[in-house]
Amino acid sequence: ALAGSETGVLLDTARYENRCLPDLASAIADYLGDRDRQPQSACLALAGPADGRRVRLTNLAWEIDADALAARFGFPVHLINDFAAVGHGLDALQASGLHPLQARTALPGAPRIALGAGTGLGVVQCVMTAQGYSPVPSEGGHIGFAPVDAAQDDLLRHLRARHGRVSLERILSGPGIEDLYAYCRTAMGRPMQRARSAAEVTAAAGTGSDATAVWAMQLFCAIYGQSAGDLALLTRATGGVYLAGGIAARIVPLLEDGRFMAGFRAKGRFSAWMHELPVYIVTDPDLGLKGAAVAAQRLLSRPSCS
């Protein structure tokens, strides 16, 4: 929860773990109970398809109803997709919150795209309108995985046997990293003795202490790069490509080893064009919160239709 200015400067924050709460209303009640100043309105960024009034979370058994929350707490509530908030938040980023992978000049007003691996995989395109950049929410994380070589073909067969249809999110996410590690163990003829968490895999890959983890994260970075490049082609993202989410900022050295950008640029007849796109890792951990604050101000400033 937060209060924010129209530039996304955070004035007050608190953090809660979803798994420790029965529902979102409990977190809001706890947050408001400690503060004398009550909000004028709320903009909630949530991981699921949002129509402004209701959201069913994709990876958590919660249903959020804006009207029910407004009735309980006494102020207007608007719901947006979490990656729509990321799209709004790009306008509030400072240079210190960005780490360049390919430093190029963005074309003013050109489309830009943000994607981010975390619990799932979020994707948002941002396009210029008369009011400035506007995010176009999507479920791009659920498009199909497209292998580019024999090794990735084998990975697809392995994951298809486990999941049926294999979306990008099955690989480019925390659970995806865990599946990648299990696949690499199997492919190396080393049966799993115990499951490894995504945090354990990324840490072991970062130190080089586990060859299986290194291979798993090499696959992850290559597939992340080629998928980001495909989405940049789809959207003509000459305004920039931004890697957000919870994972990218924690694995900067792994993303810098060349595999990500090699996958990003390897687009056949468009390879030269791919070299011209700005590509950044977002290192600001509050991008989504800032985006929700920016979105709240934009929603409040909309002219009335009455």
Side-chain angles (χ1 to χ4, degrees), residues 33-251:
D34 292 337
R35 288 155 178 83
D36 295 329
R37 184 180 178 185
Q38 298 295 294
Q40 293 178 309
S41 67
C43 178
L44 306 179
L46 302 161
D51 63 4
R53 308 317 305 156
R54 297 180 68 87
V55 173
R56 181 193 294 269
L57 300 191
T58 303
N59 293 306
L60 187 66
W62 286 4
E63 288 192 39
I64 316 300
D65 185 312
D67 296 326
L69 291 175
R72 175 170 175 179
F73 294 108
F75 48 77
V77 175
H78 195 83
L79 310 180
I80 63 173
N81 175 263
D82 60 334
F83 256 72
V86 166
H88 285 294
L90 294 179
D91 284 335
L93 277 177
Q94 304 296 315
S96 59
L98 293 170
H99 181 93
L101 286 176
Q102 184 163 270
R104 301 290 189 271
T105 301
L107 294 183
R112 54 195 187 188
I113 191 167
L115 62 161
T119 305
L121 177 65
V123 178
V124 64
Q125 181 187 13
C126 297
V127 296
M128 184 58 72
T129 68
Q131 291 74 41
Y133 270 109
S134 178
V136 182
S138 80
E139 293 302 324
H142 299 284
I143 64 176
F145 167 48
V148 299
D149 56 31
Q152 291 186 16
D153 288 340
D154 188 62
L155 171 63
L156 176 59
R157 284 189 290 271
H158 172 87
L159 292 175
R160 186 184 289 132
R162 178 177 175 84
H163 299 296
R165 181 179 182 272
V166 180
S167 67
L168 287 181
E169 185 172 275
R170 295 294 190 185
I171 299 167
L172 301 179
S173 63
I177 289 174
E178 294 164 10
D179 276 356
L180 278 175
Y181 185 83
Y183 161 75
C184 291
R185 291 280 300 194
T186 299
M188 296 172 75
R190 301 169 60 190
M192 290 282 289
Q193 296 177 336
R194 69 173 183 86
R196 299 288 295 274
S197 70
E200 289 175 314
V201 175
T202 55
T207 62
S209 61
D210 181 340
T212 309
V214 170
W215 183 24
M217 291 308 296
Q218 287 173 347
L219 278 171
F220 177 89
C221 291
I223 294 167
Y224 205 173
Q226 69 202 43
S227 303
D230 287 346
L231 290 165
L233 275 174
L234 176 68
T235 57
R236 287 193 60 85
T238 48
V241 177
Y242 297 83
L243 304 183
I247 293 175
R250 295 200 293 268
I251 61 167

